[in-house]
Amino acid sequence: PAFWTSTFGMAMMTFALGGIQVWMPTFLSRARGYTLESANYHFGLIIVVDGIIASLAGGWLGDYLLPKMKGAYYFVSAVGMALGVPFMIVALFMRGPIMMPAIAVAAFFLLLNTSPLNAAVINSVGAHIRATALAVNIFVFHLLGDVPSPTLMGYVADKRTLQSSFILPVIAMILSSAILFYGMKFAPAVELSGASMTPSEKK
């Protein structure tokens, strides 16, 4: 259960991230008056800066909380995904100077999951099947995540509006958070400094 909850949680995360990365510059250009060049530059800058800072912050926070709770990696990822939802909604439906900061904060919380989720996947299986588990994980999160999401969003955009299509990554973020909160109870104990966590530390 620990492997599959972390894998499906990651799949929903990559679904949201893949669709947003493909369609956000077009959305900014078509619906918010940016030139496509400016939209690509600003959104690309947000992703690069957030990607570095959020990955480091997520990894540090997960490691910091791990001695206190064995589901720390799941918890950090689930909370980050949940916190990103309201900011994504603001980014999509609010105009003016608040929009870009909202996109930046939403992207930060979305990317905060990268390090702890990968750690959760690795720790969810024994060393003897870790390579196979990682291969399955990569296949599943691409198959259910960033491969179909741009196409599905494009389909919704054709039928309704591009803004409407962003409801799909928002739903994926909510599902990812719910799956990871559920997965916390399956998180295995992790050895710290050569010793397993004590029962009091596992709570």
Side-chain angles (χ1 to χ4, degrees):
F3 171 76
W4 288 112
T5 52
S6 57
T7 294
F8 285 123
M10 184 178 288
M12 292 299 96
M13 185 268 281
T14 56
F15 183 100
L17 186 60
I20 290 169
Q21 285 181 323
V22 169
W23 286 109
M24 184 58 78
T26 304
F27 171 76
L28 293 174
S29 175
R30 291 183 184 176
R32 294 296 182 262
Y34 285 75
T35 65
L36 190 56
E37 180 182 6
S38 177
N40 277 314
Y41 172 77
H42 285 92
F43 184 65
L45 185 64
I46 286 171
I47 292 299
V48 170
V49 174
D50 275 357
I52 295 171
I53 298 174
S55 295
L56 292 172
W60 176 84
L61 189 57
D63 289 342
Y64 175 77
L65 293 175
L66 189 60
K68 301 172 178 62
M69 54 191 305
K70 69 186 181 75
Y73 294 139
Y74 297 81
F75 178 76
V76 171
S77 298
V79 170
M81 198 67 71
L83 290 175
V85 170
F87 287 98
M88 181 57 66
I89 293 173
V90 170
L92 293 173
F93 294 100
M94 297 292 289
R95 297 175 180 266
I98 195 174
M99 183 186 65
M100 275 299 181
I103 292 174
V105 176
F108 175 85
F109 283 123
L110 187 56
L111 293 165
L112 186 74
N113 305 279
T114 307
S115 297
L117 260 182
N118 278 287
V121 171
I122 291 171
N123 290 327
S124 67
V125 296
H128 63 293
I129 59 167
R130 194 160 287 162
T132 301
L134 287 175
V136 172
N137 169 259
I138 292 169
F139 175 78
V140 171
F141 79 65
H142 282 308
L143 180 67
L144 300 179
D146 54 351
V147 170
S149 62
T151 301
L152 290 173
M153 288 181 66
Y155 176 80
V156 173
D158 288 341
K159 295 295 183 181
R160 298 181 63 84
T161 65
L162 183 55
Q163 187 176 47
S164 299
S165 72
F166 278 88
I167 193 65
L168 296 181
V170 171
I171 292 172
M173 292 169 70
I174 295 170
L175 287 175
S176 178
S177 180
I179 291 169
L180 293 169
F181 272 124
Y182 176 71
M184 284 180 64
K185 66 180 182 179
F186 302 112
V190 179
E191 289 191 355
L192 301 172
S193 301
S196 295
M197 296 168 64
T198 65
S200 62
E201 290 174 320
K202 294 178 185 178
K203 294 180 181 179

